[in-house]
């Protein structure tokens, strides 16, 4: 299993996408995974396993004047993802 963690401070005034926080595009580390702050401050996770693509758009707007901690754990061997 691998865990990616980030503390993000995205001000409430941000109108555009927050951008990619982490990603590997599957080049060197096996399973493609990408985590970004999408439109309206909503986290978005792209993940692919066994040629099946998952695009997960969370409902929570993380734009805030306070830091937000996010952790994502992947277990490729057992096809498990936790966020």
């Amino acid at each position: 299993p691998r865990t990616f963690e980030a503390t993000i401070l995205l001000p409430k005034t941000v109108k555009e996408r927050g951008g990619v926080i982490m990603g590997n595009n599957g080049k060197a580390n096996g399973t493609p995974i990408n985590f970004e702050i999408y439109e309206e401050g909503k986290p978005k996770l792209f993940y692919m396993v066994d040629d099946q693509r998952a695009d997960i758009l969370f409902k929570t707007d993380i734009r805030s004047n306070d830091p937000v901690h996010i952790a994502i754990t992947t277990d490729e061997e057992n096809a498990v993802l936790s966020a």
Side-chain angles (χ1 to χ4, degrees):
R2 286 184 280 186
T3 300
F4 303 92
E5 294 186 65
T7 300
I8 303 164
L9 179 59
L10 192 65
K12 288 182 180 183
T13 57
V14 171
K15 301 292 183 209
E16 65 277 350
R17 294 167 61 171
V20 174
I21 304 301
M22 72 89 186
N24 70 358
N25 292 323
K27 301 287 186 200
N29 296 321
T31 303
I33 186 170
N34 187 63
F35 177 71
E36 68 176 299
I37 306 304
Y38 200 61
E39 297 168 352
E40 299 175 353
K42 296 177 182 174
K44 181 179 179 182
L45 183 63
F46 159 79
Y47 188 74
M48 185 172 266
V49 66
D50 296 332
D51 295 324
Q52 297 295 312
R53 178 183 172 127
D55 282 296
I56 303 164
L57 183 61
F58 295 86
K59 295 179 181 180
T60 304
D61 181 351
I62 68 162
R63 292 176 293 183
S64 172
N65 292 326
D66 298 314
V68 175
H69 183 259
I70 295 172
I72 300 167
T73 300
T74 63
D75 181 350
E76 297 169 27
E77 196 172 294
N78 296 302
V80 174
L81 177 101
S82 302

